[in-house]
Amino acid sequence: DGGITQSPKYLFRKEGQNVTLSCEQNLNHDAMYWYRQDPGQGLRLIYYSQIVNDFQKGDIAEGYSVSREKKESFPLTVTSAQKNPTAFYLCASSRDVNTEAFFGQGTRLTVV
Amino acid sequence: GENVEQHPSTLSVQEGDSAVIKCTYSDSASNYFPWYKQELGKGPQLIIDIRSNVGEKKDQRIAVTLNKTAKHFSLHITETQPEDSAVYFCAATLGGAQKLVFGQGTRLTINP
């Protein structure tokens, strides 16, 4: 089945550790996005990529890093510099910015 | 900065009544306006979208209207059903930055 997959669904890490969240899509989409969602909050854009080997910072990029070495993959690393990393992280992809974005099921990261 | 404002943050209606959620945007170059529905613990899913060359679009019980002059767009759900209970997000593309920005979300509750 075509779709976008995030893994793992739940992730626990100790404070001070870097952690990488996986996002893979087989929809042949050029654009991919990472959003952060806090309880009762909207979706805030962390990073986005319109094409392979290129990406831009979103509104809350500090403490995060990404790579886009393959069209299908857009992993997000939450670094120890992110002061409040516990949140629900959503990855999405679309053919381009003006078409439907498909979301993964999300990764709930808890840092203790 | 460039953003999307969504109101109300919570909405409770009786089953069978209509629900309306409103959004405003700041970038006059925005040209794509999707609406997403998010159920608990899942990623958002597109329910309807509209482009800047159209003033209204309808899909069964769901409709979206766009007023480009006033820079606002609205979601209308008629004959609401219990399964319509969810969080709804509006979004707009920022033409210059080529990114998709979301509103803060509306938690809709349908009372039987």
Side-chain angles (χ1 to χ4, degrees), chain B residues 5-31:
Chain B
E5 298 289 332
Q6 182 173 347
H7 300 281
S9 57
T10 61
L11 180 59
S12 183
V13 302
Q14 288 298 120
E15 183 178 353
D17 288 349
S18 295
V20 180
I21 302 170
K22 299 181 178 181
C23 288
T24 60
Y25 60 98
S26 57
D27 183 5
S28 56
S30 295
N31 54 19

Side-chain angles (χ1 to χ4, degrees), chain A residues 9 33 35 37 40-43 45 48 50 57-59 88 90 97-106 108, chain B residues 2 31-32 36 38 41-46 49 51 87 89 93-94 97-105 107:
Chain A
K9 191 169 183 179
Y33 315 85
Y35 292 90
Q37 186 174 28
Q41 303 273 331
L43 281 66
L45 184 63
Y48 61 109
Q50 295 299 329
K57 292 182 178 180
D59 301 316
F88 188 50
L90 286 160
V97 71
N98 292 307
T99 57
E100 178 181 0
F102 292 81
F103 281 83
Q105 291 298 293
R108 187 167 299 280
Chain B
E2 296 163 322
N31 54 19
Y32 177 61
Y36 286 83
Q38 185 180 29
K42 296 184 178 180
Q45 283 194 301
L46 183 78
D49 56 11
R51 299 186 186 280
V87 179
F89 292 98
T93 56
L94 299 185
Q98 291 289 295
K99 60 182 182 180
L100 187 62
V101 178
F102 283 78
Q104 298 87 343
R107 181 173 297 280

Side-chain angles (χ1 to χ4, degrees), chain A residues 37-56:
Chain A
Q37 186 174 28
D38 294 288
Q41 303 273 331
L43 281 66
R44 293 186 290 169
L45 184 63
I46 304 173
Y47 268 98
Y48 61 109
S49 169
Q50 295 299 329
I51 198 165
V52 67
N53 291 323
D54 188 36
F55 51 83
Q56 287 78 38

